[in-house]
């Protein structure tokens, strides 16, 4: 074979394959191997059985190979087989091997023709095999059988592609000779992943079943539909031979006689047949391993380096050492405290760029979610005015009042202040949830010690829940303090005298802030019709007066500007077809917002973005839609209710006073609630973790029990040490192998554009008038001085390569066969090798 210095390479790869399969996915290495690809009933299984010399593969109708079979052939003095899933058990009866393959296949895929990508690893030792590693893949099929899904063809294709897309995988493309070679599924798949033909070897089966008067000589000579590595022909046993238990040795002898006796193949007989295919595959796999050895070594070294530090920590590790447990407990608690503080306070090192940390989320709660919840509690304008008018009338009673009663103002203000309790308590709940999530994230580093992780989470969470009640009591106390005294002498309160002028002052302040930019960002307009292009993403700019959007963030091409007058925000249910979260803007006077649309639906990637945009719109004066609970009950009352001009002035005055005072209260609450939560909750929890957590853990029970490592951690440690040792041994073995070997250079490139084409697939097309016909047994060969025949159709497709092209191998240096040939002998222009 010319590779004696590399004899150990294939067994080495087999050992690595078994080692890495047994330890799982820690070492993800693409080990060199040969994948057998072909259509259903192409003869793949028969080729493998001829290699082994035994019947050991399942047979039947439909897809026989339903799981990839990784077949490792090892030359040995005795003959037996063993499975990776039955380690230690030797199979000497190959009928039992077939039964085990069927049982293992049914265990994973079921007994009704299902398929699975999980491979079966089979190793065969025999004196009749050469060292090879092959993968038998399911045959390509078109029609589902049994409980197979409708997309069975795509599933099998995807499974095959998982193997043959790897650069370390050689492709054995098996095609029957009695079918159209140009439409071969195996060659089409190989071309998709190996366009240069560096890894593809063609195998032609069923040569003995071709129609009379046709042969595959042009294909086997690599002149018709050429491949860079060429084709090898084999003759398998027929179904009658298999049913009659014909010995494979006898079948191989019959195959040899077929090639030596067939007039079209006798000059190629030495390069055809199963034994020659084994030698070629052994040589090419060995060469392929040698070629991929540098990258293979680099990959081993990189994985070894990645495991070095972890393996060094585990080496000499004693899980039951009390001093180690005490030291590690102190380190774990200290690390937990540092991680918690970094997540809350923020840190410049190891910044998370994927999601917000606990502190950033709490900041969002304080300055976006909480103000938004406060505004949502404001009642509807009509309801407010109705309540004020009822309060004024009830205070006057039977008398007609001359002055605006301040008791009505106080009653309405207290009712509004009480409504603030719900958003304040909700703010505490949101902060608590973020604190608990942060504790869980920090405790993930303790998962090696499940008891310690569980106790740490329990102790800290219990302390957070204990502080929850105190924080809520204090928050409610702040609301009660606001209710206890209505301070109408506050410096920001407009007073009765200025109540009538408030609306004009508000308009002036809004016009002065018109150019202030509140927010910019990308949003998707969701309710553009498909006829107009469907949903599109634009760059939005929100100011105090308008919402504008541009084509991109350069803000050069403005698409639209929407004034904010009479606009409100409403939530929209997320569509099951969309991954985005939606809210919409609408006009309270039922006018079109954008062109012909009554609403403008805007979509964000996450609910946090929706809340953030709604909070920004709130700052611009676009409020959320209020739920009118009593609307149906009060419609008739409000329709029949009319106020006299004097009462209207009183209501307007009280309304302006309430707005002024509630702005003061809201400002105070927005400032005090975050400070209260920060003091009573967040800072207190940080101090507790720093000062008391360790003591609480010691008092919770035996600290040695706390530091008992999990079973997964023990398995992880053993796996890392075994993997590290396996990688070192593999590198040592590879380092001892000499790569200075004799090798056959890769054949030159050929034109493989025919693969996948629709033309050129007939086995025996009618000869053209200008093309020479095949000679019958009575015809004489062309004289030696005659020119070579022009291009003509071959037995399996059009002849698309001239005889003197570099792709066509030279003929053997032997005399033409003595019996009359059905083809003209080679022309004198062909170069015969010495």
């Amino acid at each position: 074979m010319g590779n004696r210095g590399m004899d150990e390479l294939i067994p080495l790869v087999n050992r690595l394959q078994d080692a890495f399969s047994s330890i799982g996915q820690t070492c993800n290495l693409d080990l060199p191997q040969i994948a057998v690809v072909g259509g259903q009933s192409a003869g793949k299984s028969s080729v493998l059985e001829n290699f082994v010399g035994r019947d050991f593969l399942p047979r039947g109708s439909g897809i026989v190979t339903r799981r990839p079979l990784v077949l490792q052939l090892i030359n040995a003095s005795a003959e037996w087989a063993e499975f990776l899933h039955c380690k230690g058990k030797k199979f000497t009866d190959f009928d039992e091997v077939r039964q085990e393959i069927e049982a293992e296949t049914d265990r994973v895929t079921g007994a009704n023709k299902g398929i699975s990508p999980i491979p079966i690893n089979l190793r065969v030792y025999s004196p009749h095999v050469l060292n090879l590693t092959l993968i038998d893949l399911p045959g390509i099929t078109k029609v589902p059988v049994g409980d197979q899904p409708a997309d069975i063809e795509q599933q099998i294709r995807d499974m095959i592609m998982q193997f043959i897309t790897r650069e370390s995988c050689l492709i054995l493309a098996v095609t029957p000779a009695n079918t159209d070679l140009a439409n071969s599924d195996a060659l089409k798949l190989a071309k998709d992943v190996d366009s240069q033909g560096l890894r593809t070897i063609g195998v032609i089966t069923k040569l003995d079943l071709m129609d009379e008067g046709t042969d595959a000589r042009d294909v086997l000579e690599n002149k018709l539909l050429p491949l860079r590595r060429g084709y090898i022909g084999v003759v398998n046993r027929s179904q009658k031979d298999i049913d009659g238990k014909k010995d494979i040795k006898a079948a191989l002898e019959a195959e040899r006689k077929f090639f030596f006796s067939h007039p079209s193949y006798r000059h190629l007989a030495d390069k055809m047949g199963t034994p020659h295919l084994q030698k070629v595959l052994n040589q090419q796999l060995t060469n392929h391993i040698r070629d991929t050895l540098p990258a293979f070594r680099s990959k081993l070294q990189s994985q070894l380096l990645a495991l070095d530090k972890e393996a060094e920590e585990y080496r000499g590790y004693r899980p039951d050492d009390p001093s180690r447990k005490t030291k590690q407990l102190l380190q774990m608690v200290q690390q937990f405290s540092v991680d918690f503080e970094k997540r809350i306070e923020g840190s410049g090192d190891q910044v998370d760029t994927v999601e917000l940390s606990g502190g950033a989320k709490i900041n969002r709660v304080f300055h976006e979610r909480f103000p938004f919840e406060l505004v949502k509690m404001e009642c509807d304008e009509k309801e407010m005015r109705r309540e004020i008018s009822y309060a004024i009338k009830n205070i006057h009673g039977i008398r007609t009042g001359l002055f605006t009663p301040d008791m009505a103002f106080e009653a309405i203000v207290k009712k509004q202040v009480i409504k603030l309790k719900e958003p304040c308590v909700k703010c505490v709940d949101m902060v608590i949830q973020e604190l608990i999530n942060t504790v869980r994230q920090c405790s993930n580093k303790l998962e090696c010690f499940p008891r310690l992780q569980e106790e740490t989470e329990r102790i800290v969470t219990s302390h957070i829940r204990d502080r929850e009640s105190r924080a809520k009591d204090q928050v409610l106390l702040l609301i009660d303090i606001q209710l206890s005294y209505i301070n109408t002498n506050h410096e920001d309160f407009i007073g009765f005298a200025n109540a009538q002028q408030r609306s004009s002052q508000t308009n002036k302040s809004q016009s002065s802030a018109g150019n202030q930019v509140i927010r910019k960002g990308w949003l998707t307009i969701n309710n553009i019709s498909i006829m107009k292009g469907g949903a599109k993403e634009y760059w939005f700019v929100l100011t105090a007066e308008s919402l504008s959007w541009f084509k991109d963030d350069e803000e050069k091409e403005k698409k639209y500007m929407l004034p904010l007058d009479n606009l409100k925000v409403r939530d929209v249910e997320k569509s099951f077809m969309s991954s985005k979260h939606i809210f919409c803007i609408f006009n309270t006077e039922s006018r079109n917002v954008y062109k012909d649309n009554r609403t403008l639906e805007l979509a964000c990637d996450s609910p946090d973005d929706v809340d953030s945009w709604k909070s920004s719109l709130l700052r611009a004066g676009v409020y959320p839609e209020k739920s009118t609970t009593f609307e149906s009950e009060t419609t008739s009352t409000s329709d029949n209710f009319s106020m006299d001009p004097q009462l209207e002035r009183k209501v307007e005055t009280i309304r302006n006073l309430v707005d002024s005072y509630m702005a003061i209260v809201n400002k105070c609450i927005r400032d005090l609630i975050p400070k209260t939560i920060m003091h009573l909750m967040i800072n207190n929890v940080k101090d507790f973790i720093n000062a008391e957590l360790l003591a609480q853990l010691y008092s919770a029970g035996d600290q040695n029990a706390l530091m008992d490592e999990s079973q997964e951690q023990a398995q992880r440690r053993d796996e890392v040490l075994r993997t590290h040792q396996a990688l070192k041994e593999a590198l040592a073995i590879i380092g001892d192998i000499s790569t200075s070997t004799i090798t056959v250079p890769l054949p030159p490139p050929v034109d493989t554009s025919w693969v996948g084409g629709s033309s050129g697939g007939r086995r025996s097309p009618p000869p053209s008038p200008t093309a020479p016909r095949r000679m019958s047994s009575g015809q004489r060969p062309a004289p030696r001085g005659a020119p070579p025949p022009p291009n003509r159709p071959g037995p399996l497709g059009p002849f698309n390569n001239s005889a003197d092209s570099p792709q066509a191998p030279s003929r053997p240096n032997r005399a033409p066969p003595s019996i009359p040939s059905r083809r003209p002998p080679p022309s004198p222009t062909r170069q015969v090798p010495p």
Side-chain angles (χ1 to χ4, degrees), residues 670-683:
R670 287 186 188 186
D671 182 59
L672 284 178
I673 296 299
K675 291 178 178 178
T676 303
I677 295 174
M678 195 72 193
H679 175 69
L680 293 178
M681 292 286 307
I682 299 172
N683 291 340

PDB file of all heavy atoms in Angstrom, residues 670-683:
ATOM      1  N   ARG A 670     -42.257  59.760  44.143  1.00  0.00           N
ATOM      2  CA  ARG A 670     -41.242  59.245  43.219  1.00  0.00           C
ATOM      3  C   ARG A 670     -39.848  59.351  43.801  1.00  0.00           C
ATOM      4  O   ARG A 670     -38.967  58.551  43.467  1.00  0.00           O
ATOM      5  CB  ARG A 670     -41.291  60.033  41.898  1.00  0.00           C
ATOM      6  CG  ARG A 670     -42.486  59.724  41.034  1.00  0.00           C
ATOM      7  CD  ARG A 670     -42.362  60.436  39.701  1.00  0.00           C
ATOM      8  NE  ARG A 670     -43.580  60.324  38.904  1.00  0.00           N
ATOM      9  CZ  ARG A 670     -43.693  60.759  37.667  1.00  0.00           C
ATOM     10  NH1 ARG A 670     -42.663  61.352  37.087  1.00  0.00           N
ATOM     11  NH2 ARG A 670     -44.821  60.632  36.998  1.00  0.00           N
ATOM     12  N   ASP A 671     -39.623  60.295  44.633  1.00  0.00           N
ATOM     13  CA  ASP A 671     -38.311  60.467  45.244  1.00  0.00           C
ATOM     14  C   ASP A 671     -38.128  59.587  46.472  1.00  0.00           C
ATOM     15  O   ASP A 671     -37.064  58.988  46.659  1.00  0.00           O
ATOM     16  CB  ASP A 671     -38.130  61.944  45.618  1.00  0.00           C
ATOM     17  CG  ASP A 671     -36.750  62.211  46.224  1.00  0.00           C
ATOM     18  OD1 ASP A 671     -35.743  61.949  45.537  1.00  0.00           O
ATOM     19  OD2 ASP A 671     -36.687  62.655  47.386  1.00  0.00           O
ATOM     20  N   LEU A 672     -39.173  59.494  47.317  1.00  0.00           N
ATOM     21  CA  LEU A 672     -39.016  58.812  48.606  1.00  0.00           C
ATOM     22  C   LEU A 672     -39.101  57.285  48.498  1.00  0.00           C
ATOM     23  O   LEU A 672     -38.394  56.578  49.230  1.00  0.00           O
ATOM     24  CB  LEU A 672     -40.080  59.316  49.588  1.00  0.00           C
ATOM     25  CG  LEU A 672     -39.834  60.698  50.182  1.00  0.00           C
ATOM     26  CD1 LEU A 672     -40.982  61.082  51.104  1.00  0.00           C
ATOM     27  CD2 LEU A 672     -38.520  60.727  50.953  1.00  0.00           C
ATOM     28  N   ILE A 673     -39.957  56.775  47.612  1.00  0.00           N
ATOM     29  CA  ILE A 673     -40.144  55.312  47.553  1.00  0.00           C
ATOM     30  C   ILE A 673     -38.847  54.598  47.163  1.00  0.00           C
ATOM     31  O   ILE A 673     -38.426  53.653  47.843  1.00  0.00           O
ATOM     32  CB  ILE A 673     -41.298  54.948  46.607  1.00  0.00           C
ATOM     33  CG1 ILE A 673     -42.627  55.500  47.141  1.00  0.00           C
ATOM     34  CG2 ILE A 673     -41.379  53.438  46.410  1.00  0.00           C
ATOM     35  CD1 ILE A 673     -43.012  54.948  48.497  1.00  0.00           C
ATOM     36  N   PRO A 674     -38.143  55.017  46.090  1.00  0.00           N
ATOM     37  CA  PRO A 674     -36.864  54.349  45.797  1.00  0.00           C
ATOM     38  C   PRO A 674     -35.854  54.461  46.928  1.00  0.00           C
ATOM     39  O   PRO A 674     -35.120  53.501  47.210  1.00  0.00           O
ATOM     40  CB  PRO A 674     -36.373  55.080  44.537  1.00  0.00           C
ATOM     41  CG  PRO A 674     -37.605  55.592  43.882  1.00  0.00           C
ATOM     42  CD  PRO A 674     -38.502  55.980  45.019  1.00  0.00           C
ATOM     43  N   LYS A 675     -35.808  55.607  47.614  1.00  0.00           N
ATOM     44  CA  LYS A 675     -34.870  55.756  48.728  1.00  0.00           C
ATOM     45  C   LYS A 675     -35.231  54.822  49.871  1.00  0.00           C
ATOM     46  O   LYS A 675     -34.346  54.218  50.504  1.00  0.00           O
ATOM     47  CB  LYS A 675     -34.875  57.212  49.216  1.00  0.00           C
ATOM     48  CG  LYS A 675     -34.258  58.194  48.233  1.00  0.00           C
ATOM     49  CD  LYS A 675     -34.328  59.615  48.748  1.00  0.00           C
ATOM     50  CE  LYS A 675     -33.668  60.579  47.764  1.00  0.00           C
ATOM     51  NZ  LYS A 675     -33.759  61.986  48.215  1.00  0.00           N
ATOM     52  N   THR A 676     -36.528  54.707  50.141  1.00  0.00           N
ATOM     53  CA  THR A 676     -36.971  53.811  51.221  1.00  0.00           C
ATOM     54  C   THR A 676     -36.622  52.356  50.900  1.00  0.00           C
ATOM     55  O   THR A 676     -36.099  51.623  51.750  1.00  0.00           O
ATOM     56  CB  THR A 676     -38.494  53.953  51.416  1.00  0.00           C
ATOM     57  OG1 THR A 676     -38.805  55.314  51.691  1.00  0.00           O
ATOM     58  CG2 THR A 676     -38.978  53.069  52.532  1.00  0.00           C
ATOM     59  N   ILE A 677     -36.902  51.951  49.666  1.00  0.00           N
ATOM     60  CA  ILE A 677     -36.594  50.568  49.274  1.00  0.00           C
ATOM     61  C   ILE A 677     -35.085  50.331  49.305  1.00  0.00           C
ATOM     62  O   ILE A 677     -34.611  49.271  49.737  1.00  0.00           O
ATOM     63  CB  ILE A 677     -37.178  50.285  47.874  1.00  0.00           C
ATOM     64  CG1 ILE A 677     -38.702  50.358  47.917  1.00  0.00           C
ATOM     65  CG2 ILE A 677     -36.736  48.924  47.365  1.00  0.00           C
ATOM     66  CD1 ILE A 677     -39.365  50.244  46.548  1.00  0.00           C
ATOM     67  N   MET A 678     -34.333  51.305  48.836  1.00  0.00           N
ATOM     68  CA  MET A 678     -32.868  51.163  48.829  1.00  0.00           C
ATOM     69  C   MET A 678     -32.334  50.968  50.243  1.00  0.00           C
ATOM     70  O   MET A 678     -31.465  50.119  50.482  1.00  0.00           O
ATOM     71  CB  MET A 678     -32.257  52.414  48.187  1.00  0.00           C
ATOM     72  CG  MET A 678     -30.816  52.257  47.794  1.00  0.00           C
ATOM     73  SD  MET A 678     -30.639  51.176  46.366  1.00  0.00           S
ATOM     74  CE  MET A 678     -28.861  50.886  46.414  1.00  0.00           C
ATOM     75  N   HIS A 679     -32.864  51.739  51.183  1.00  0.00           N
ATOM     76  CA  HIS A 679     -32.352  51.655  52.562  1.00  0.00           C
ATOM     77  C   HIS A 679     -32.821  50.386  53.270  1.00  0.00           C
ATOM     78  O   HIS A 679     -32.005  49.665  53.866  1.00  0.00           O
ATOM     79  CB  HIS A 679     -32.813  52.890  53.341  1.00  0.00           C
ATOM     80  CG  HIS A 679     -32.449  52.838  54.793  1.00  0.00           C
ATOM     81  ND1 HIS A 679     -31.148  52.937  55.248  1.00  0.00           N
ATOM     82  CD2 HIS A 679     -33.225  52.656  55.898  1.00  0.00           C
ATOM     83  CE1 HIS A 679     -31.130  52.838  56.563  1.00  0.00           C
ATOM     84  NE2 HIS A 679     -32.378  52.664  56.987  1.00  0.00           N
ATOM     85  N   LEU A 680     -34.120  50.124  53.189  1.00  0.00           N
ATOM     86  CA  LEU A 680     -34.679  49.018  53.977  1.00  0.00           C
ATOM     87  C   LEU A 680     -34.473  47.653  53.323  1.00  0.00           C
ATOM     88  O   LEU A 680     -34.490  46.637  54.012  1.00  0.00           O
ATOM     89  CB  LEU A 680     -36.175  49.247  54.196  1.00  0.00           C
ATOM     90  CG  LEU A 680     -36.546  50.438  55.081  1.00  0.00           C
ATOM     91  CD1 LEU A 680     -38.055  50.568  55.173  1.00  0.00           C
ATOM     92  CD2 LEU A 680     -35.952  50.275  56.472  1.00  0.00           C
ATOM     93  N   MET A 681     -34.276  47.628  52.016  1.00  0.00           N
ATOM     94  CA  MET A 681     -34.186  46.348  51.331  1.00  0.00           C
ATOM     95  C   MET A 681     -32.769  46.072  50.808  1.00  0.00           C
ATOM     96  O   MET A 681     -32.085  45.171  51.282  1.00  0.00           O
ATOM     97  CB  MET A 681     -35.175  46.320  50.148  1.00  0.00           C
ATOM     98  CG  MET A 681     -36.622  46.304  50.549  1.00  0.00           C
ATOM     99  SD  MET A 681     -37.159  44.723  51.205  1.00  0.00           S
ATOM    100  CE  MET A 681     -36.669  43.630  49.923  1.00  0.00           C
ATOM    101  N   ILE A 682     -32.350  46.861  49.837  1.00  0.00           N
ATOM    102  CA  ILE A 682     -31.149  46.504  49.075  1.00  0.00           C
ATOM    103  C   ILE A 682     -29.892  46.610  49.922  1.00  0.00           C
ATOM    104  O   ILE A 682     -29.096  45.659  50.022  1.00  0.00           O
ATOM    105  CB  ILE A 682     -31.054  47.385  47.815  1.00  0.00           C
ATOM    106  CG1 ILE A 682     -32.278  47.146  46.928  1.00  0.00           C
ATOM    107  CG2 ILE A 682     -29.782  47.080  47.034  1.00  0.00           C
ATOM    108  CD1 ILE A 682     -32.409  48.085  45.756  1.00  0.00           C
ATOM    109  N   ASN A 683     -29.685  47.776  50.573  1.00  0.00           N
ATOM    110  CA  ASN A 683     -28.483  47.938  51.415  1.00  0.00           C
ATOM    111  C   ASN A 683     -28.485  46.966  52.582  1.00  0.00           C
ATOM    112  O   ASN A 683     -27.434  46.435  52.963  1.00  0.00           O
ATOM    113  CB  ASN A 683     -28.384  49.372  51.921  1.00  0.00           C
ATOM    114  CG  ASN A 683     -28.070  50.351  50.805  1.00  0.00           C
ATOM    115  OD1 ASN A 683     -27.576  49.945  49.758  1.00  0.00           O
ATOM    116  ND2 ASN A 683     -28.360  51.625  51.012  1.00  0.00           N
TER     117      ASN A 683
END
